[in-house]
Amino acid sequence: MSGNGVFEIGLVGAGAISAGAYTAGVVDFLVQALDAWYARKSRRDDSIPPHDVKLSVFSGASAGGMTAAVAAGFLGSDQPAIRNEADASNRYLLNKLYDCWVRRVDIRSLLGRRDLPNDRSKVISLLDSTVLREIADAGFDVVPRSRRRPYLADDFHVILTVTNLRGVPYKIPFLGSTGEGHLMFLHADALHFCFNDSGLTNREDLFCIGWQDLGRGGSRPMMVELLKTGALASGAFPVGLAPRTLLHLLLEPGRRDLYSSRLWPVPETPGEGEPCKCVSLRSIQADWGKLPDFFPYRFHCVDGGAMNNEPLDLARRILTGGDAHNPRSGEEAHRAVILIDPFPGQQTFEADYDPRPPDLLNTILSLFSAMKAQARFKPDELMLANDENIYSRFLISPKRGSSPYPIASGSLGGFGGFLKEAFRRHDFFLGRRNAQKFLKDHFHLPENNALFKHFAGWWTPERKDRFGVRDRTTNELFLPIVPLLDEAAEECFEPVWPGYAVSELKSLKEQIKGRTQAVLSSLIGQYFENNNFLVRTTIRLFAKSKEDEIVNFITDKIEADLKKMGLMV
């Protein structure tokens, strides 16, 4: 699209757990700003910047993936922005991003017992995840727009990362090998959806949904159900939330299937014809062995962030269309990814470290923490996103004055937002405010970029002064990719830092105790059902003696984290 007056955008939602409310707020404001600009365009208003943008892809992991899915329904319908507390009180049911992330997901439901109705119920997660399905259904209870939004690409891609616990087999042969080759299993999986006007595609590696298929009256409800389940799978935090089961029908195993049709970036040796091309996209045949046609390939999934927490690569692959490169310079950039990351770097290196060998439990917990941190270790991506001289990738992350704790959901490793609606509401409005600041001060290009040269006659000195911003050091002029107009130009509502009362912690403690009792009782019934009465009784008495210890440990941790962040009142 270079040189034709169009700038292409891809969104990336990083893993966020309860801070998905922040990502939702960012998306809410971004859509408001784009709608305001294109409403003026539809009236042929010559006083506004004439270039265009195309939103082409939204990839996400964990809470970012769940937000990407709900955002598809948000973009495919007309939903009012939640601009302030009054809107939050009066319009919350009409805005699915706000309703799902701020109103509906709460610790009271997650500490319920609907998933454990009796002692023989199977424990599949520490928290009750039944409410999440209801939230997913609510998120897609929409009325489709009659026409696609003008800034959406013809094909709008939604990619949700998941951790495939079963794995997909690939066999790599080696020259000179006399054996069967090297068998590997893919676990860093993703569900790829494409939205367009027809609901049709000739690609075999993705699922296509028509914009009119959204909502209750759609003609392809099974595809929308797959999107919902994929969103829940992407956000299924291991152990804490319930895993989800997905199904792909392998029509012709060993010949062609969804995984064998998927394109992968493969390193190339630069040739004379294309000396700068070092990567090409190729399909790799999955090795399913001897399976019947139409084989139902089922697999359990947990949090996509465990394998790919910031799926920038997946979004960029859509934008580049196989080029594997986005022009980065200020003059040439014509497409970019925007990473929305509520937790870009809150972990700090601790000076204290116990030199003694850890016990078994601490080793397991440390391993899980290390794997999660490694999935987030992408220094090249984050450095480029923060480099002011690179215009192909940008970063939106929480900022609230000079506070070291800008986001209220940051306690308890990101689970803190579930404790109180006020925490999530604060983060939603902070996301909107940060998004406005980003569009106004950071999401711009030098005035000599091809995007503006294409309309050189329109950009008079007066208009450049009106819409542009100057670098305070170099005095270089930058022009906006997405101009702020009308209500989007008014300063966003600034949320007040919330608080958590001692009485609320006391009530929470009782809820934790109830959930702990239900989980322990069901675990005993699940794993000691076949033991004799004496063994079961002994185990139950031991578990009963540990209940208060477990509950006190959890509530003490919650209280310490909330005090550290200045949230206890």
Side-chain angles (χ1 to χ4, degrees), residues 71-87:
F74 187 83
L75 288 163
S77 59
D78 287 315
Q79 301 181 32
I82 303 296
R83 302 162 300 177
N84 48 44
E85 294 279 14
D87 286 348

Side-chain angles (χ1 to χ4, degrees), residues 45-82:
D45 188 340
D46 187 52
S47 67
I48 61 171
H51 65 271
D52 282 291
V53 299
K54 288 295 179 185
L55 188 58
S56 298
V57 57
F58 196 157
S59 67
S62 188
M66 299 172 84
T67 305
V70 177
F74 187 83
L75 288 163
S77 59
D78 287 315
Q79 301 181 32
I82 303 296

Side-chain angles (χ1 to χ4, degrees), residues 16-150:
I17 312 177
S18 66
Y22 177 85
T23 306
V26 170
V27 175
D28 186 60
F29 182 83
L30 177 61
V31 173
Q32 179 189 350
L34 288 168
D35 281 349
W37 180 24
Y38 274 83
R40 297 273 289 271
K41 276 177 168 286
S42 68
R43 299 193 295 268
R44 300 184 183 278
D45 188 340
D46 187 52
S47 67
I48 61 171
H51 65 271
D52 282 291
V53 299
K54 288 295 179 185
L55 188 58
S56 298
V57 57
F58 196 157
S59 67
S62 188
M66 299 172 84
T67 305
V70 177
F74 187 83
L75 288 163
S77 59
D78 287 315
Q79 301 181 32
I82 303 296
R83 302 162 300 177
N84 48 44
E85 294 279 14
D87 286 348
S89 299
N90 302 322
R91 293 180 169 184
Y92 67 89
L93 284 174
L94 301 177
N95 183 303
K96 301 303 180 181
L97 286 169
Y98 186 89
D99 185 38
C100 290
W101 271 115
V102 180
R103 295 281 299 190
R104 289 180 179 268
V105 58
D106 192 80
I107 195 65
R108 288 170 294 182
S109 298
L110 296 173
L111 290 177
R113 309 181 199 181
R114 288 193 292 168
D115 61 331
L116 301 174
N118 55 61
D119 290 351
R120 296 181 180 272
S121 301
K122 184 178 181 180
V123 178
I124 59 176
S125 59
L126 293 181
L127 298 174
D128 182 355
S129 302
T130 53
V131 69
L132 300 181
R133 183 70 210 191
E134 298 167 3
I135 294 174
D137 290 338
F140 283 89
D141 186 11
V142 301
V143 178
R145 288 170 54 96
S146 59
R147 297 184 63 182
R148 169 168 43 99
R149 277 182 159 88

Side-chain angles (χ1 to χ4, degrees), residues 219-481:
S219 60
R220 306 182 74 187
M222 294 301 293
M223 201 64 71
V224 177
E225 285 299 310
L226 178 60
L227 177 63
K228 293 179 188 177
T229 305
L232 295 176
S234 184
F237 193 86
V239 183
L241 300 175
R244 303 289 166 168
T245 303
L246 295 172
L247 166 67
H248 292 334
L249 198 62
L250 305 182
L251 302 181
E252 302 177 48
R255 294 185 289 278
R256 207 68 184 160
D257 57 76
L258 181 143
Y259 287 102
S260 299
S261 302
R262 184 172 291 177
L263 299 177
W264 300 89
V266 178
E268 296 277 5
T269 300
E272 295 181 2
E274 296 178 283
C276 296
K277 187 171 184 179
C278 300
V279 174
S280 65
L281 296 180
R282 298 185 189 179
S283 61
I284 303 175
Q285 184 73 44
D287 191 287
W288 299 105
K290 296 181 180 180
L291 294 177
D293 289 354
F294 303 99
F295 178 79
Y297 171 63
R298 290 183 175 85
F299 54 102
H300 304 310
C301 293
V302 294
D303 198 316
M307 295 287 178
N308 188 353
N309 196 64
E310 295 94 8
L312 289 150
D313 54 325
L314 302 181
R316 189 164 52 243
R317 201 174 302 168
I318 297 298
L319 292 184
T320 61
D323 293 340
H325 175 67
N326 284 322
R328 296 175 177 175
S329 72
E331 184 176 347
E332 298 178 342
H334 58 91
R335 55 197 182 203
V337 291
I338 302 174
L339 172 62
I340 308 169
D341 191 349
F343 303 121
Q346 287 201 342
Q347 286 183 315
T348 58
F349 181 79
E350 299 292 341
D352 295 331
Y353 190 75
D354 191 344
R356 296 171 298 177
D359 59 27
L360 179 60
L361 179 60
N362 279 323
T363 298
I364 294 172
L365 294 176
S366 296
L367 176 62
F368 177 75
S369 178
M371 292 174 64
K372 181 177 70 172
Q374 184 61 41
R376 297 178 176 180
F377 184 70
K378 297 179 180 178
D380 54 335
E381 300 282 10
L382 293 178
M383 282 192 294
L384 291 173
N386 282 294
D387 191 329
E388 295 182 353
N389 297 313
I390 291 177
Y391 297 88
S392 62
R393 60 194 77 192
F394 295 83
L395 174 67
I396 302 178
S397 60
K399 185 170 180 59
R400 184 178 61 91
S402 59
S403 172
Y405 303 111
I407 191 164
S409 298
S411 63
L412 303 175
F415 277 87
F418 295 138
L419 297 179
K420 190 173 183 178
E421 182 179 330
F423 292 0
R424 304 186 297 276
R425 184 166 60 247
H426 170 276
D427 293 348
F428 181 90
F429 286 122
L430 182 67
R432 282 182 49 86
R433 189 172 173 85
N434 287 172
Q436 183 184 52
K437 177 75 172 174
F438 167 76
L439 294 179
K440 180 180 179 181
D441 296 341
H442 302 287
F443 197 45
H444 48 216
L445 298 166
E447 63 175 324
N448 63 348
N449 183 273
L451 183 68
F452 310 119
K453 285 184 177 180
H454 190 79
F455 299 99
W458 187 89
W459 285 100
T460 62
E462 293 77 18
R463 285 168 171 163
K464 287 182 178 181
D465 287 339
R466 176 188 171 193
F467 290 102
V469 295
R470 290 192 178 274
D471 186 281
R472 294 180 179 179
T473 304
T474 65
N475 203 39
E476 184 179 2
L477 181 66
F478 293 86
L479 301 177
I481 299 174

Side-chain angles (χ1 to χ4, degrees), residues 543-554:
K544 183 69 175 177
S545 70
K546 292 293 182 180
E547 279 181 8
D548 288 342
E549 184 179 334
I550 294 171
V551 172
N552 288 333
F553 174 81
I554 294 172

